[in-house]
């Protein structure tokens, strides 16, 4: 059995933590960009576009992230496309997060009073101009707290990628446990590191919610 000191365990977990952070940031940024595109299609005036994006959102919200990950990792291989674990994790998390972010932002867009649409329409603005100059600045202000809150779900969702062999924090914890036979110590440290990532985001989301609610009341 390999001998590990406490510092060895912490150091190796910290090395794996960087991949959790990098995967979370990548999925959040790419998922946000894809979610923004879906938002435009979801709120467009074309019925078939709204229905197609609704199907996309319901598909990714109605199936487990684990299944989506398996389909990307093993499904593409059936067509001769060998996908590395890192790329499969990015694709699955990006599609999954884009569905949720698009729906969060759609709710914010639809909460804008109808008069705002009618007033901008009277100024001869097209749909894209209405969204860019009138609707989105207000909607995204309301959408910041739930968006920051959802980023916590992305961080925790990265743990699922360990099932396809991507060595992030959870996978590293399992590997170190197999080598040290100290599951309580290792998984306690893994939990502490997840908490250190997620807790500040949760508190920041709550503070933003209080701030914007106070601004709205005033």
């Amino acid at each position: 059995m390999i001998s590990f000191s406490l510092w060895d365990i912490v150091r190796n977990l910290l090395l794996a933590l960087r991949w959790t952070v990098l995967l979370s940031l990548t999925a959040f940024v790419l998922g946000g960009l894809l979610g923004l595109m879906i938002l435009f299609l979801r709120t467009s005036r074309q019925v078939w576009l709204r229905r197609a994006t609704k199907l996309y959102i319901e598909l990714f919200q109605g199936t487990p992230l684990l299944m989506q990950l398996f389909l990307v990792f093993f499904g593409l291989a059936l067509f001769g496309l060998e996908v590395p674990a890192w790329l499969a994790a990015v694709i699955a998390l990006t599609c999954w997060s884009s569905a949720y972010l698009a729906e969060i932002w759609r709710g914010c867009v639809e909460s804008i009073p109808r008069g705002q649409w009618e007033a901008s329409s009277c100024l001869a603005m097209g749909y894209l101009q209405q969204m860019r100059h009138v609707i989105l600045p207000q909607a995204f202000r309301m959408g910041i707290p739930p968006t920051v809150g959802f980023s916590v779900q992305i961080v925790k969702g990265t743990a699922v990628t360990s099932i396809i062999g991507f060595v992030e924090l959870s996978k590293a914890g399992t590997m170190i446990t197999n080598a040290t036979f100290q599951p309580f110590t290792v998984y306690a440290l893994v939990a502490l590191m997840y908490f250190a990532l997620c807790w500040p985001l949760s508190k920041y989301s709550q503070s933003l919610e209080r701030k914007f609610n106070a601004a709205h009341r005033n």
Side-chain angles (χ1 to χ4, degrees), residues 4-12 14:
F4 278 79
S5 67
L6 181 60
W7 168 242
D8 290 331
I9 296 173
V10 171
R11 181 168 55 84
N12 283 288
L14 287 174

Side-chain angles (χ1 to χ4, degrees), residues 10 55-56 59 62 76 89 118 121 155 165 169 176 195:
V10 171
L55 178 64
Y56 174 90
L59 181 66
L76 292 180
E118 294 170 354
S121 181
V155 173
L169 188 55
I176 295 171
F195 182 76

Side-chain angles (χ1 to χ4, degrees), residues 41-54:
L41 300 176
R42 184 81 175 90
T43 56
S44 75
R45 290 163 184 163
Q46 300 293 326
V47 176
W48 69 274
L49 284 177
R50 293 203 301 271
R51 287 179 178 171
T53 48
K54 183 181 179 184

Side-chain angles (χ1 to χ4, degrees), residues 177-190:
T177 297
N178 292 338
T180 62
F181 297 102
Q182 299 181 55
F184 183 80
T185 301
V186 174
Y187 286 121
L189 289 169
V190 169

Side-chain angles (χ1 to χ4, degrees), residues 107-138:
C108 297
V109 166
E110 292 187 350
S111 68
I112 302 298
R114 194 66 197 166
Q116 299 275 340
W117 288 94
E118 294 170 354
S120 55
S121 181
C122 290
L123 295 174
M125 287 185 178
Y127 171 74
L128 292 178
Q129 289 176 315
Q130 287 176 303
M131 288 289 280
R132 179 184 173 189
H133 297 295
V134 180
I135 304 301
L136 286 185
Q138 302 176 73

